mmCIF file of all heavy atoms in Angstrom:
data_model
loop_
_atom_site.group_PDB
_atom_site.id
_atom_site.type_symbol
_atom_site.label_atom_id
_atom_site.label_comp_id
_atom_site.label_asym_id
_atom_site.label_seq_id
_atom_site.Cartn_x
_atom_site.Cartn_y
_atom_site.Cartn_z
ATOM 1 N N GLN U 1 43.839 97.893 143.688
ATOM 2 C CA GLN U 1 43.467 97.434 145.028
ATOM 3 C C GLN U 1 42.418 98.341 145.649
ATOM 4 O O GLN U 1 41.509 97.874 146.319
ATOM 5 C CB GLN U 1 44.703 97.356 145.930
ATOM 6 C CG GLN U 1 44.409 96.923 147.357
ATOM 7 C CD GLN U 1 43.755 95.556 147.460
ATOM 8 O OE1 GLN U 1 43.947 94.697 146.603
ATOM 9 N NE2 GLN U 1 42.961 95.351 148.508
ATOM 10 N N ASP U 2 42.525 99.644 145.412
ATOM 11 C CA ASP U 2 41.567 100.577 146.031
ATOM 12 C C ASP U 2 40.402 100.937 145.115
ATOM 13 O O ASP U 2 39.536 101.728 145.478
ATOM 14 C CB ASP U 2 42.272 101.846 146.527
ATOM 15 C CG ASP U 2 42.860 102.700 145.406
ATOM 16 O OD1 ASP U 2 42.687 102.358 144.213
ATOM 17 O OD2 ASP U 2 43.515 103.714 145.723
ATOM 18 N N HIS U 3 40.383 100.395 143.903
ATOM 19 C CA HIS U 3 39.272 100.566 142.961
ATOM 20 C C HIS U 3 39.086 102.014 142.503
ATOM 21 O O HIS U 3 38.021 102.378 141.994
ATOM 22 C CB HIS U 3 37.966 100.013 143.547
ATOM 23 C CG HIS U 3 38.075 98.587 143.989
ATOM 24 N ND1 HIS U 3 37.952 97.528 143.116
ATOM 25 C CD2 HIS U 3 38.348 98.053 145.208
ATOM 26 C CE1 HIS U 3 38.119 96.392 143.779
ATOM 27 N NE2 HIS U 3 38.369 96.685 145.043
ATOM 28 N N SER U 4 40.120 102.823 142.656
ATOM 29 C CA SER U 4 40.056 104.209 142.192
ATOM 30 C C SER U 4 40.494 104.299 140.739
ATOM 31 O O SER U 4 41.365 103.533 140.292
ATOM 32 C CB SER U 4 40.979 105.091 143.050
ATOM 33 O OG SER U 4 42.341 104.746 142.835
ATOM 34 N N PHE U 5 39.919 105.239 139.989
ATOM 35 C CA PHE U 5 40.389 105.408 138.616
ATOM 36 C C PHE U 5 41.827 105.913 138.604
ATOM 37 O O PHE U 5 42.580 105.644 137.663
ATOM 38 C CB PHE U 5 39.485 106.362 137.836
ATOM 39 C CG PHE U 5 39.859 106.452 136.377
ATOM 40 C CD1 PHE U 5 39.778 105.337 135.552
ATOM 41 C CD2 PHE U 5 40.314 107.635 135.836
ATOM 42 C CE1 PHE U 5 40.154 105.408 134.219
ATOM 43 C CE2 PHE U 5 40.677 107.713 134.499
ATOM 44 C CZ PHE U 5 40.599 106.594 133.688
ATOM 45 N N ALA U 6 42.226 106.611 139.666
ATOM 46 C CA ALA U 6 43.611 107.074 139.755
ATOM 47 C C ALA U 6 44.598 105.918 139.757
ATOM 48 O O ALA U 6 45.723 106.061 139.274
ATOM 49 C CB ALA U 6 43.794 107.935 141.006
ATOM 50 N N SER U 7 44.195 104.761 140.283
ATOM 51 C CA SER U 7 45.105 103.605 140.259
ATOM 52 C C SER U 7 45.313 103.099 138.835
ATOM 53 O O SER U 7 46.404 102.641 138.479
ATOM 54 C CB SER U 7 44.577 102.486 141.155
ATOM 55 O OG SER U 7 43.356 101.955 140.677
ATOM 56 N N TYR U 8 44.278 103.197 137.996
ATOM 57 C CA TYR U 8 44.411 102.828 136.580
ATOM 58 C C TYR U 8 45.336 103.818 135.866
ATOM 59 O O TYR U 8 46.164 103.422 135.038
ATOM 60 C CB TYR U 8 43.043 102.792 135.906
ATOM 61 C CG TYR U 8 42.134 101.704 136.406
ATOM 62 C CD1 TYR U 8 41.350 101.903 137.541
ATOM 63 C CD2 TYR U 8 42.044 100.478 135.764
ATOM 64 C CE1 TYR U 8 40.509 100.899 138.010
ATOM 65 C CE2 TYR U 8 41.200 99.477 136.219
ATOM 66 C CZ TYR U 8 40.446 99.698 137.349
ATOM 67 O OH TYR U 8 39.619 98.705 137.817
ATOM 68 N N LEU U 9 45.188 105.083 136.197
ATOM 69 C CA LEU U 9 46.075 106.086 135.608
ATOM 70 C C LEU U 9 47.521 105.875 136.048
ATOM 71 O O LEU U 9 48.451 106.087 135.262
ATOM 72 C CB LEU U 9 45.606 107.492 136.002
ATOM 73 C CG LEU U 9 44.245 107.918 135.450
ATOM 74 C CD1 LEU U 9 43.865 109.291 135.993
ATOM 75 C CD2 LEU U 9 44.248 107.926 133.921
ATOM 76 N N LEU U 10 47.714 105.440 137.296
ATOM 77 C CA LEU U 10 49.067 105.151 137.769
ATOM 78 C C LEU U 10 49.664 103.983 136.992
ATOM 79 O O LEU U 10 50.843 104.018 136.611
ATOM 80 C CB LEU U 10 49.049 104.841 139.264
ATOM 81 C CG LEU U 10 50.392 104.452 139.882
ATOM 82 C CD1 LEU U 10 51.432 105.564 139.713
ATOM 83 C CD2 LEU U 10 50.218 104.091 141.353
ATOM 84 N N PHE U 11 48.871 102.945 136.736
ATOM 85 C CA PHE U 11 49.315 101.807 135.912
ATOM 86 C C PHE U 11 49.827 102.301 134.560
ATOM 87 O O PHE U 11 50.938 101.949 134.122
ATOM 88 C CB PHE U 11 48.138 100.846 135.734
ATOM 89 C CG PHE U 11 48.386 99.655 134.854
ATOM 90 C CD1 PHE U 11 48.957 98.496 135.362
ATOM 91 C CD2 PHE U 11 48.006 99.674 133.513
ATOM 92 C CE1 PHE U 11 49.153 97.382 134.555
ATOM 93 C CE2 PHE U 11 48.204 98.570 132.702
ATOM 94 C CZ PHE U 11 48.782 97.414 133.225
ATOM 95 N N ALA U 12 49.031 103.146 133.899
ATOM 96 C CA ALA U 12 49.425 103.676 132.592
ATOM 97 C C ALA U 12 50.674 104.536 132.703
ATOM 98 O O ALA U 12 51.562 104.478 131.835
ATOM 99 C CB ALA U 12 48.274 104.477 131.990
ATOM 100 N N GLN U 13 50.770 105.324 133.771
ATOM 101 C CA GLN U 13 51.920 106.205 133.931
ATOM 102 C C GLN U 13 53.197 105.422 134.206
ATOM 103 O O GLN U 13 54.266 105.765 133.677
ATOM 104 C CB GLN U 13 51.674 107.196 135.067
ATOM 105 C CG GLN U 13 52.715 108.315 135.141
ATOM 106 C CD GLN U 13 52.736 109.160 133.882
ATOM 107 O OE1 GLN U 13 51.683 109.660 133.464
ATOM 108 N NE2 GLN U 13 53.885 109.316 133.253
ATOM 109 N N LEU U 14 53.111 104.390 135.014
ATOM 110 C CA LEU U 14 54.297 103.568 135.304
ATOM 111 C C LEU U 14 54.813 102.894 134.031
ATOM 112 O O LEU U 14 56.032 102.783 133.826
ATOM 113 C CB LEU U 14 53.969 102.521 136.366
ATOM 114 C CG LEU U 14 53.686 103.065 137.769
ATOM 115 C CD1 LEU U 14 53.213 101.946 138.690
ATOM 116 C CD2 LEU U 14 54.913 103.756 138.352
ATOM 117 N N ILE U 15 53.905 102.470 133.176
ATOM 118 C CA ILE U 15 54.328 101.877 131.897
ATOM 119 C C ILE U 15 54.959 102.948 131.017
ATOM 120 O O ILE U 15 56.023 102.726 130.418
ATOM 121 C CB ILE U 15 53.118 101.213 131.202
ATOM 122 C CG1 ILE U 15 52.682 99.968 131.978
ATOM 123 C CG2 ILE U 15 53.462 100.841 129.751
ATOM 124 C CD1 ILE U 15 51.382 99.362 131.499
ATOM 125 N N ALA U 16 54.330 104.113 130.936
ATOM 126 C CA ALA U 16 54.860 105.198 130.105
ATOM 127 C C ALA U 16 56.231 105.661 130.582
ATOM 128 O O ALA U 16 57.092 106.022 129.771
ATOM 129 C CB ALA U 16 53.877 106.368 130.090
ATOM 130 N N ASP U 17 56.443 105.648 131.891
ATOM 131 C CA ASP U 17 57.711 106.103 132.451
ATOM 132 C C ASP U 17 58.815 105.051 132.375
ATOM 133 O O ASP U 17 59.984 105.364 132.616
ATOM 134 C CB ASP U 17 57.519 106.499 133.926
ATOM 135 C CG ASP U 17 56.708 107.775 134.078
ATOM 136 O OD1 ASP U 17 56.548 108.505 133.085
ATOM 137 O OD2 ASP U 17 56.233 108.023 135.203
ATOM 138 N N SER U 18 58.454 103.817 132.065
ATOM 139 C CA SER U 18 59.445 102.739 132.013
ATOM 140 C C SER U 18 60.156 102.720 130.667
ATOM 141 O O SER U 18 59.778 103.433 129.729
ATOM 142 C CB SER U 18 58.757 101.387 132.243
ATOM 143 O OG SER U 18 58.043 100.983 131.080
ATOM 144 N N ALA U 19 61.171 101.865 130.568
ATOM 145 C CA ALA U 19 61.901 101.692 129.312
ATOM 146 C C ALA U 19 61.250 100.648 128.409
ATOM 147 O O ALA U 19 61.765 100.361 127.324
ATOM 148 C CB ALA U 19 63.348 101.301 129.615
ATOM 149 N N LEU U 20 60.121 100.103 128.840
ATOM 150 C CA LEU U 20 59.416 99.098 128.044
ATOM 151 C C LEU U 20 58.825 99.738 126.793
ATOM 152 O O LEU U 20 58.171 100.777 126.877
ATOM 153 C CB LEU U 20 58.305 98.472 128.894
ATOM 154 C CG LEU U 20 57.602 97.235 128.346
ATOM 155 C CD1 LEU U 20 58.520 96.021 128.421
ATOM 156 C CD2 LEU U 20 56.318 96.973 129.136
ATOM 157 N N THR U 21 59.052 99.135 125.639
ATOM 158 C CA THR U 21 58.575 99.715 124.384
ATOM 159 C C THR U 21 57.534 98.856 123.676
ATOM 160 O O THR U 21 56.879 99.333 122.748
ATOM 161 C CB THR U 21 59.745 99.958 123.417
ATOM 162 O OG1 THR U 21 60.431 98.713 123.187
ATOM 163 C CG2 THR U 21 60.730 100.973 124.008
ATOM 164 N N CYS U 22 57.368 97.593 124.071
ATOM 165 C CA CYS U 22 56.428 96.705 123.382
ATOM 166 C C CYS U 22 54.992 96.976 123.854
ATOM 167 O O CYS U 22 54.776 97.613 124.885
ATOM 168 C CB CYS U 22 56.794 95.250 123.643
ATOM 169 S SG CYS U 22 56.549 94.730 125.354
ATOM 170 N N PRO U 23 53.997 96.497 123.108
ATOM 171 C CA PRO U 23 52.605 96.677 123.539
ATOM 172 C C PRO U 23 52.291 95.871 124.796
ATOM 173 O O PRO U 23 52.872 94.813 125.036
ATOM 174 C CB PRO U 23 51.789 96.189 122.339
ATOM 175 C CG PRO U 23 52.702 95.293 121.579
ATOM 176 C CD PRO U 23 54.084 95.835 121.791
ATOM 177 N N VAL U 24 51.359 96.406 125.590
ATOM 178 C CA VAL U 24 50.886 95.744 126.800
ATOM 179 C C VAL U 24 49.403 95.425 126.609
ATOM 180 O O VAL U 24 48.580 96.328 126.454
ATOM 181 C CB VAL U 24 51.081 96.631 128.043
ATOM 182 C CG1 VAL U 24 50.508 95.953 129.291
ATOM 183 C CG2 VAL U 24 52.562 96.966 128.238
ATOM 184 N N PHE U 25 49.085 94.143 126.599
ATOM 185 C CA PHE U 25 47.706 93.687 126.472
ATOM 186 C C PHE U 25 47.193 93.313 127.863
ATOM 187 O O PHE U 25 47.972 93.034 128.764
ATOM 188 C CB PHE U 25 47.626 92.491 125.523
ATOM 189 C CG PHE U 25 48.102 92.799 124.124
ATOM 190 C CD1 PHE U 25 49.442 92.630 123.787
ATOM 191 C CD2 PHE U 25 47.229 93.269 123.167
ATOM 192 C CE1 PHE U 25 49.901 92.931 122.505
ATOM 193 C CE2 PHE U 25 47.677 93.565 121.879
ATOM 194 C CZ PHE U 25 49.007 93.399 121.548
ATOM 195 N N TRP U 26 45.878 93.274 128.043
ATOM 196 C CA TRP U 26 45.347 93.033 129.385
ATOM 197 C C TRP U 26 44.085 92.182 129.346
ATOM 198 O O TRP U 26 43.382 92.099 128.349
ATOM 199 C CB TRP U 26 45.040 94.356 130.091
ATOM 200 C CG TRP U 26 44.099 95.283 129.348
ATOM 201 C CD1 TRP U 26 44.460 96.300 128.500
ATOM 202 C CD2 TRP U 26 42.661 95.247 129.360
ATOM 203 N NE1 TRP U 26 43.332 96.913 127.996
ATOM 204 C CE2 TRP U 26 42.222 96.298 128.515
ATOM 205 C CE3 TRP U 26 41.714 94.464 130.019
ATOM 206 C CZ2 TRP U 26 40.874 96.555 128.286
ATOM 207 C CZ3 TRP U 26 40.368 94.709 129.805
ATOM 208 C CH2 TRP U 26 39.959 95.751 128.953
ATOM 209 N N LEU U 27 43.834 91.543 130.473
ATOM 210 C CA LEU U 27 42.549 90.915 130.744
ATOM 211 C C LEU U 27 42.153 91.276 132.178
ATOM 212 O O LEU U 27 43.013 91.613 132.996
ATOM 213 C CB LEU U 27 42.605 89.403 130.524
ATOM 214 C CG LEU U 27 43.698 88.602 131.232
ATOM 215 C CD1 LEU U 27 43.296 88.225 132.653
ATOM 216 C CD2 LEU U 27 44.042 87.350 130.429
ATOM 217 N N PRO U 28 40.876 91.253 132.509
ATOM 218 C CA PRO U 28 40.443 91.760 133.817
ATOM 219 C C PRO U 28 40.537 90.707 134.915
ATOM 220 O O PRO U 28 40.321 89.517 134.691
ATOM 221 C CB PRO U 28 38.984 92.152 133.564
ATOM 222 C CG PRO U 28 38.533 91.180 132.510
ATOM 223 C CD PRO U 28 39.727 90.935 131.637
ATOM 224 N N GLY U 29 40.835 91.189 136.134
ATOM 225 C CA GLY U 29 40.736 90.368 137.322
ATOM 226 C C GLY U 29 39.481 90.713 138.095
ATOM 227 O O GLY U 29 38.718 91.609 137.714
ATOM 228 N N ASN U 30 39.258 90.030 139.198
ATOM 229 C CA ASN U 30 38.052 90.267 139.976
ATOM 230 C C ASN U 30 38.015 91.659 140.601
ATOM 231 O O ASN U 30 36.949 92.214 140.859
ATOM 232 C CB ASN U 30 37.890 89.203 141.065
ATOM 233 C CG ASN U 30 39.149 88.970 141.870
ATOM 234 O OD1 ASN U 30 40.113 88.415 141.348
ATOM 235 N ND2 ASN U 30 39.161 89.370 143.132
ATOM 236 N N HIS U 31 39.182 92.280 140.822
ATOM 237 C CA HIS U 31 39.220 93.624 141.385
ATOM 238 C C HIS U 31 38.925 94.707 140.335
ATOM 239 O O HIS U 31 38.676 95.855 140.712
ATOM 240 C CB HIS U 31 40.610 93.912 141.978
ATOM 241 C CG HIS U 31 40.823 93.333 143.332
ATOM 242 N ND1 HIS U 31 40.741 94.076 144.490
ATOM 243 C CD2 HIS U 31 41.119 92.071 143.727
ATOM 244 C CE1 HIS U 31 40.979 93.306 145.538
ATOM 245 N NE2 HIS U 31 41.218 92.082 145.103
ATOM 246 N N ASP U 32 38.985 94.364 139.066
ATOM 247 C CA ASP U 32 39.063 95.381 138.024
ATOM 248 C C ASP U 32 37.717 95.756 137.437
ATOM 249 O O ASP U 32 36.764 94.974 137.435
ATOM 250 C CB ASP U 32 39.985 94.894 136.899
ATOM 251 C CG ASP U 32 41.393 94.608 137.382
ATOM 252 O OD1 ASP U 32 41.852 95.325 138.288
ATOM 253 O OD2 ASP U 32 42.013 93.664 136.872
ATOM 254 N N ASP U 33 37.671 96.958 136.900
ATOM 255 C CA ASP U 33 36.532 97.462 136.153
ATOM 256 C C ASP U 33 36.922 97.506 134.680
ATOM 257 O O ASP U 33 37.858 98.212 134.305
ATOM 258 C CB ASP U 33 36.152 98.853 136.659
ATOM 259 C CG ASP U 33 34.957 99.416 135.915
ATOM 260 O OD1 ASP U 33 33.827 99.067 136.286
ATOM 261 O OD2 ASP U 33 35.168 100.177 134.954
ATOM 262 N N ILE U 34 36.230 96.738 133.866
ATOM 263 C CA ILE U 34 36.615 96.620 132.459
ATOM 264 C C ILE U 34 36.542 97.969 131.750
ATOM 265 O O ILE U 34 37.414 98.306 130.939
ATOM 266 C CB ILE U 34 35.745 95.565 131.748
ATOM 267 C CG1 ILE U 34 36.060 94.160 132.300
ATOM 268 C CG2 ILE U 34 35.973 95.594 130.240
ATOM 269 C CD1 ILE U 34 35.170 93.057 131.759
ATOM 270 N N SER U 35 35.534 98.774 132.069
ATOM 271 C CA SER U 35 35.420 100.077 131.410
ATOM 272 C C SER U 35 36.594 100.979 131.769
ATOM 273 O O SER U 35 37.079 101.753 130.926
ATOM 274 C CB SER U 35 34.097 100.750 131.771
ATOM 275 O OG SER U 35 34.035 101.033 133.153
ATOM 276 N N ALA U 36 37.089 100.894 132.996
ATOM 277 C CA ALA U 36 38.255 101.694 133.384
ATOM 278 C C ALA U 36 39.496 101.216 132.641
ATOM 279 O O ALA U 36 40.340 102.028 132.217
ATOM 280 C CB ALA U 36 38.474 101.615 134.894
ATOM 281 N N MET U 37 39.633 99.909 132.452
ATOM 282 C CA MET U 37 40.774 99.384 131.708
ATOM 283 C C MET U 37 40.704 99.822 130.252
ATOM 284 O O MET U 37 41.724 100.127 129.633
ATOM 285 C CB MET U 37 40.840 97.859 131.843
ATOM 286 C CG MET U 37 41.016 97.392 133.291
ATOM 287 S SD MET U 37 41.223 95.604 133.480
ATOM 288 C CE MET U 37 42.999 95.449 133.310
ATOM 289 N N GLN U 38 39.499 99.860 129.720
ATOM 290 C CA GLN U 38 39.350 100.322 128.339
ATOM 291 C C GLN U 38 39.679 101.812 128.216
ATOM 292 O O GLN U 38 40.235 102.239 127.202
ATOM 293 C CB GLN U 38 37.927 100.041 127.861
ATOM 294 C CG GLN U 38 37.645 98.557 127.659
ATOM 295 C CD GLN U 38 36.179 98.253 127.410
ATOM 296 O OE1 GLN U 38 35.298 99.001 127.832
ATOM 297 N NE2 GLN U 38 35.911 97.140 126.749
ATOM 298 N N ARG U 39 39.364 102.590 129.248
ATOM 299 C CA ARG U 39 39.623 104.037 129.204
ATOM 300 C C ARG U 39 41.122 104.345 129.145
ATOM 301 O O ARG U 39 41.521 105.355 128.543
ATOM 302 C CB ARG U 39 39.002 104.720 130.418
ATOM 303 C CG ARG U 39 37.499 104.884 130.341
ATOM 304 C CD ARG U 39 36.938 105.487 131.624
ATOM 305 N NE ARG U 39 37.425 106.848 131.857
ATOM 306 C CZ ARG U 39 37.185 107.528 132.961
ATOM 307 N NH1 ARG U 39 36.503 106.969 133.958
ATOM 308 N NH2 ARG U 39 37.647 108.768 133.099
ATOM 309 N N ILE U 40 41.961 103.505 129.757
ATOM 310 C CA ILE U 40 43.404 103.759 129.716
ATOM 311 C C ILE U 40 44.071 103.090 128.521
ATOM 312 O O ILE U 40 45.282 103.213 128.332
ATOM 313 C CB ILE U 40 44.106 103.320 131.018
ATOM 314 C CG1 ILE U 40 43.963 101.813 131.239
ATOM 315 C CG2 ILE U 40 43.589 104.112 132.210
ATOM 316 C CD1 ILE U 40 44.871 101.263 132.320
ATOM 317 N N SER U 41 43.282 102.385 127.705
ATOM 318 C CA SER U 41 43.846 101.707 126.536
ATOM 319 C C SER U 41 43.987 102.676 125.373
ATOM 320 O O SER U 41 43.225 103.634 125.237
ATOM 321 C CB SER U 41 42.965 100.523 126.117
ATOM 322 O OG SER U 41 42.907 99.556 127.131
ATOM 323 N N GLY U 42 44.969 102.395 124.547
ATOM 324 C CA GLY U 42 45.283 103.264 123.416
ATOM 325 C C GLY U 42 46.768 103.498 123.409
ATOM 326 O O GLY U 42 47.372 103.710 124.460
ATOM 327 N N GLY U 43 47.393 103.421 122.265
ATOM 328 C CA GLY U 43 48.846 103.532 122.233
ATOM 329 C C GLY U 43 49.477 102.240 122.726
ATOM 330 O O GLY U 43 49.123 101.149 122.267
ATOM 331 N N GLN U 44 50.376 102.347 123.690
ATOM 332 C CA GLN U 44 51.118 101.169 124.149
ATOM 333 C C GLN U 44 50.219 100.166 124.859
ATOM 334 O O GLN U 44 50.432 98.953 124.757
ATOM 335 C CB GLN U 44 52.260 101.590 125.078
ATOM 336 C CG GLN U 44 53.205 100.447 125.437
ATOM 337 C CD GLN U 44 54.411 100.930 126.220
ATOM 338 O OE1 GLN U 44 54.484 102.079 126.632
ATOM 339 N NE2 GLN U 44 55.375 100.049 126.419
ATOM 340 N N ILE U 45 49.215 100.642 125.594
ATOM 341 C CA ILE U 45 48.272 99.740 126.251
ATOM 342 C C ILE U 45 47.186 99.393 125.247
ATOM 343 O O ILE U 45 46.451 100.266 124.774
ATOM 344 C CB ILE U 45 47.683 100.375 127.518
ATOM 345 C CG1 ILE U 45 48.807 100.699 128.517
ATOM 346 C CG2 ILE U 45 46.672 99.432 128.160
ATOM 347 C CD1 ILE U 45 48.340 101.414 129.766
ATOM 348 N N ASN U 46 47.083 98.123 124.913
ATOM 349 C CA ASN U 46 46.269 97.667 123.785
ATOM 350 C C ASN U 46 45.151 96.771 124.309
ATOM 351 O O ASN U 46 45.390 95.857 125.095
ATOM 352 C CB ASN U 46 47.165 96.908 122.800
ATOM 353 C CG ASN U 46 46.502 96.653 121.473
ATOM 354 O OD1 ASN U 46 45.379 96.167 121.416
ATOM 355 N ND2 ASN U 46 47.218 96.951 120.387
#
């Protein structure tokens, strides 16, 4: 919502801190920066 890279890091951290173990795939919305989404990808975020 605030377009900060810290919000992308929070997304990754909330997933890492959860009990979810399956991969998380993504597509971009109008608020999102594709390069920032790619930067947090790797491991569980695919």
Side-chain angles (χ1 to χ4, degrees):
Q1 178 59 28
D2 66 3
H3 305 277
S4 67
F5 186 63
S7 65
Y8 293 85
L9 294 176
L10 177 60
F11 177 85
Q13 190 61 53
L14 292 173
I15 291 171
D17 290 344
S18 75
L20 190 73
T21 57
C22 68
V24 177
F25 299 90
W26 56 266
L27 53 85
N30 48 290
H31 280 259
D32 300 326
D33 181 83
I34 293 175
S35 64
M37 299 184 88
Q38 290 170 334
R39 284 176 64 187
I40 62 167
S41 297
Q44 188 173 8
I45 300 176
N46 192 310

